Amino acid sequence: MPTVSIPALGLQLQAEADENLLKVLRRHRVPIGWSCRRGECGSCKCVLERGEVDLRGYQPGALPASQREQGIILACSSRIVGDVQLGLVDTDDYIEHPLRSLACRVLWLRELAPEIFALRLRIVADLAQGSEDASAGGPFLFSAGQYAHLRARDARGEWIGRDFSMAGTPVEAEYDGELEFHIRRTPAGSFSGLLGATILEGTELHLEGPMGRAYFRPRHEGPVYAVSAGTGLGPMLSVVQTALDNGKTDPVVLYAGFRNVSEVYGLERMEQMARRHPNFQAHVVVEFDAPGGLRGGRVGDALFADVKDFQDAKAYLAGSPAMVEAVSAELLARGLPMRDVHADAFYAPAPEAFPAGQAGLARG
Ligand SMILES: Cc1cc2nc3c(=O)[nH]c(=O)nc-3n(C[C@H](O)[C@H](O)[C@H](O)COP(=O)(O)OP(=O)(O)OC[C@H]3O[C@@H](n4cnc5c(N)ncnc54)[C@H](O)[C@@H]3O)c2cc1C
Ligand code: FES
């Protein structure tokens, strides 16, 4: 039986031959990031210090050849072929909240901009504990920037699940048992298309989470740059609000990107934060049709036009894979270490997550 050793954590893990490395690490609750699980996002990077793995089927952007030459691998795209020794890329401020399985009810659904909705949920039962008491397993704890898997019934009564990032703060969830999500609705979307159809005020949804490692690191000292595309603004508002609520005095700067001006939302909340916190700045950037008063172009270009020096900074990114991948790559090229770039790209789900009738559709 092959062994996976991680000297930094004093661990020796047993694995099956040909087993997926990320599966082994997650089974043993090793503090490693992951998101897409198919070699696209780069969240599951680790260092192969000794031994060999069968690494294949990943996107070159997720693991550039220069990093591969330094021994970096993607755990999700690696199969175990013998004993290996690993180093972890980012173990600072590792936080692991218990994974919960909860029933929630929709408190309200509000349109923030055309086809962009805020979905506010109240936790009503703990499914894992089999209890009607929402607090049976304790309050729902997460770190700003994390996401959860939401499931709802479609018109045929089938459960459909997708990942969504918490847009409210961890404090609201812990004390009020309420969670907010910002969701772009596409009428043909298997889950988002249910908003306003089967997902209405009072509807029961199921939630599993929290997940994700692109969360706010409270011990970091230095500037914070939060960059979002579209509804990636939800988790980035949670990150900057939490940083400011924690009394951070370094610059906290939000770059909120949108494709079109009609999609812009959240201005009032950003203005309120700027009024209360002199160290907070928000830049709203509209790619295609910015009117006078709003900045035009791509959000990453705006960030790199304004900021030349990322010394001691941390960057948090959420939204479309194209934005997250391009901005992450540029930050690394400008010298920001990988451990200071915390990114969750909103990848489309794997084909098996689609209802049977939709199998075979092209990925958008
Ligand atoms: C970590 C994470 C966090 C996220 N957070 C958010 C968030 O906060 N807010 C938010 O709005 N979104 C978020 N997302 C994206 C979200 O999970 C969904 O992918 C998105 O909402 C699309 O779901 P849908 O129901 O609208 O559409 P889907 O039905 O899932 O369709 C999505 C795309 O897949 C294509 N497709 C349809 N059928 C198939 C098929 N059979 N095979 C392959 N492709 C197909 C469609 O053409 C479409 O372009 C997040 C994603 C991840 C991974
Ligand atoms: S989880 Fe491995 S690359 Fe995304």
Side-chain angles (χ1 to χ4, degrees):
M1 203 178 246
T3 306
V4 177
S5 59
I6 309 174
L9 302 177
L11 292 176
Q12 291 267 1
L13 316 174
Q14 299 298 314
E16 302 292 331
D18 204 36
E19 199 173 0
N20 179 283
L21 178 58
L22 182 61
K23 185 177 168 200
V24 178
L25 299 178
R26 289 188 56 204
R27 188 173 59 229
H28 293 278
R29 305 180 80 81
V30 171
I32 181 161
W34 55 274
S35 181
C36 69
R37 286 172 289 161
R38 50 173 194 267
E40 290 177 354
C41 69
S43 315
C44 62
K45 279 177 192 160
C46 50
V47 185
L48 184 65
E49 293 175 343
R50 227 179 271 163
E52 270 184 46
V53 291
D54 179 8
L55 173 65
R56 62 171 87 167
Y58 63 89
Q59 297 299 317
L63 181 62
S66 57
Q67 292 181 11
R68 181 70 196 94
E69 281 156 20
Q70 292 164 23
I72 295 174
I73 57 169
L74 298 174
C76 72
S77 307
S78 300
R79 297 216 152 254
I80 296 194
V81 293
D83 291 350
V84 288
Q85 179 177 311
L86 298 182
L88 298 180
V89 171
D90 168 25
T91 49
D92 69 321
D93 283 313
Y94 181 69
I95 299 172
E96 189 170 16
H97 300 296
L99 188 68
R100 306 288 298 279
S101 181
L102 302 167
C104 303
R105 272 199 198 285
V106 177
L107 273 180
W108 44 255
L109 181 66
R110 281 189 198 140
E111 202 165 22
L112 301 169
E115 301 302 327
I116 310 272
F117 288 84
L119 176 69
R120 185 94 176 173
L121 306 180
R122 166 157 298 139
I123 300 166
V124 293
D126 191 318
L127 298 171
Q129 305 276 328
S131 171
E132 292 284 312
D133 177 1
S135 58
F140 179 68
L141 303 175
F142 72 93
S143 292
Q146 286 194 295
Y147 66 93
H149 188 70
L150 289 187
R151 296 195 307 132
R153 283 188 194 275
D154 68 11
R156 294 173 302 173
E158 309 257 337
W159 286 99
I160 301 285
R162 292 289 181 268
D163 296 332
F164 295 100
S165 310
M166 276 70 84
T169 65
V171 174
E172 284 169 7
E174 185 177 346
Y175 288 92
D176 307 333
E178 291 185 13
L179 296 164
E180 190 168 316
F181 299 88
H182 295 168
I183 303 180
R184 168 189 300 283
R185 180 173 71 180
T186 46
S190 319
F191 183 101
S192 72
L194 304 178
L195 294 171
T198 60
I199 301 177
L200 299 162
E201 199 180 307
T203 303
E204 183 172 310
L205 302 186
H206 290 176
L207 173 152
E208 222 174 80
M211 290 177 263
R213 298 221 51 223
Y215 53 75
F216 174 61
R217 270 54 177 181
R219 292 204 307 230
H220 160 240
E221 289 179 10
V224 162
Y225 295 99
V227 187
S228 65
T231 47
L233 180 57
M236 292 301 98
L237 282 171
S238 180
V239 164
V240 296
Q241 181 75 65
T242 302
L244 298 169
D245 290 349
N246 279 14
K248 195 165 178 60
T249 51
D250 300 294
V252 175
V253 189
L254 173 63
Y255 283 83
F258 299 92
R259 282 177 306 187
N260 298 102
V261 69
S262 62
E263 298 169 358
V264 174
Y265 75 93
L267 289 178
E268 210 177 301
R269 191 161 157 198
M270 292 182 233
E271 280 161 13
Q272 201 182 50
M273 283 186 205
R275 276 197 301 275
R276 288 191 188 153
H277 302 277
N279 58 324
F280 174 72
Q281 267 183 34
H283 301 266
V284 174
V285 186
V286 176
E287 187 165 355
F288 297 117
D289 57 355
L294 281 187
R295 208 159 161 182
R298 285 192 298 196
V299 67
D301 294 342
L303 169 73
F304 295 116
D306 294 352
V307 186
K308 301 293 175 212
D309 180 3
F310 287 93
Q311 173 121 28
D312 298 329
K314 269 192 185 288
Y316 298 89
L317 317 172
S320 65
M323 183 286 281
V324 168
E325 284 165 17
V327 175
S328 303
E330 186 60 27
L331 286 165
L332 297 179
R334 290 179 182 229
L336 195 64
M338 213 162 14
R339 63 170 182 276
D340 291 322
V341 181
H342 306 287
D344 255 335
F346 291 1
Y347 289 102
E352 57 270 21
F354 291 94
Q358 285 187 25
L361 283 180
R363 216 171 258 286

